[in-house]
Amino acid sequence: MTPIGVIESDYPDKFGIPRQPGLATAARACLVLTPPFDDPLAVRGLETFSHLWLTFVFHQSPPRWTPLVRPPRLGGNAKVGVFASRSTHRPNRLGLSLVELLEIDTRRGVRLRLSGADLVHGTPVLDIKPYLPWAESHPEARAGFAPAAPSRLPVDFSPATEATLAERPDGDSLRELIRQVLAQDPRPAYRTGAESRTYGVRLRDLDVRFRAVADGADSIRLRVVEI
Ligand code: SAM
C-alpha cells in the first residue's frame, strides 16, 4: 500500500496523546495529501461530511506483535487478545480513527483540517472514508472492558505557566489543549495516585511539565508546573 498523505499535528511525540480520537477536541491536525493523491478532484464532495474515518499506519510502533496485550484501560495488568484491543502493537500496524473535518483547503495541493485526531505528527495515512452515522453509529452497542469514555482529572496551572500562556498568540487554544490532554492522565496506567515525580508531554513546540498532586483525601489533580 502507498500512503495518500501525512499528518501534521499538535502531537510531536506518542507519549500523552489521548488513546482515542475525540477526547481532546482542541487538538488540531492537518492531513496533507501527497502527489498524485493531492488532486482536488479526489476530495470533491467530501466537504459535505462532518466526520471522516482515517486508516493509517502506526509507523512509530515496532513491526512486531503478540497475541496478548495489556490495555491501559485495565490498569496495564490484565491481558486481552490483540484483536480485542485497539493496541498499536498489532499485525500490519493499521490504525483507524474517526475525526471531525473542519475545512478542506485546495489552494495549493489538498490539506484537510481536522479536530480531535489521536495521531502523532508524521503519521502516514492510507485512506479516507466519509463517516455514515446511520450505518456506523450504534450507541446501544456493548463495549467490553471500555464501556464509557475514560474519567477526566481536574487540571490546574501554576502562576508561572499561566504567565507563559498569556504571552503566546495561541495561548487560549494551547491552554485548552493542555487541559484536555492532561485530563486523560497520560501517566503510565499503574500510576494512579499523587507523586512527587514530574512528567512531561510535548504539545506543539512546547515541553509541558506536570505533577500529580493530592486534591482532598483520595483524589488527585494534575498541576502544570513548567512550560
Ligand atoms: N484510534 C486509533 C485506533 O483505534 O486504531 C488509535 C488508537 S491507539 C490506542 C492511540 C495511541 O496511538 C495514541 O495514544 C498514540 O500514543 C499512539 N499513536 C498515534 N499515532 C501513532 C503512530 N503514528 N505510531 C505509533 N503510535 C501512534
Side-chain angles (χ1 to χ4, degrees), residues 4 17 30 32 45 50 52 54 94 101 120 136-137 182 186 205 219:
I4 57 151
I17 302 181
C30 197
V32 184
S50 64
L52 310 175
L54 299 183
L94 277 184
L101 173 65
V120 73
E136 297 175 314
S137 166
L182 295 194
D205 55 328
S219 51

Side-chain angles (χ1 to χ4, degrees), residues 107-189:
R107 281 172 298 180
R108 269 184 304 134
V110 178
R111 299 172 67 89
L112 274 55
R113 284 208 312 113
L114 311 170
S115 159
D118 54 348
L119 307 175
V120 73
H121 187 87
T123 296
V125 172
L126 297 173
D127 203 0
I128 306 167
K129 288 183 184 174
Y131 168 64
L132 301 177
W134 52 268
E136 297 175 314
S137 166
H138 294 280
E140 77 291 0
R142 281 181 289 122
F145 59 82
S151 56
R152 290 172 191 249
L153 288 179
V155 175
D156 63 25
F157 295 79
S158 71
T161 60
E162 277 289 8
T164 306
L165 289 172
E167 281 168 14
R168 287 182 56 115
D170 63 345
D172 288 345
S173 71
L174 189 55
R175 183 184 296 100
E176 195 49 30
L177 178 64
I178 295 172
R179 196 183 290 285
Q180 292 180 354
V181 166
L182 295 194
Q184 301 293 321
D185 198 351
R187 295 177 300 159

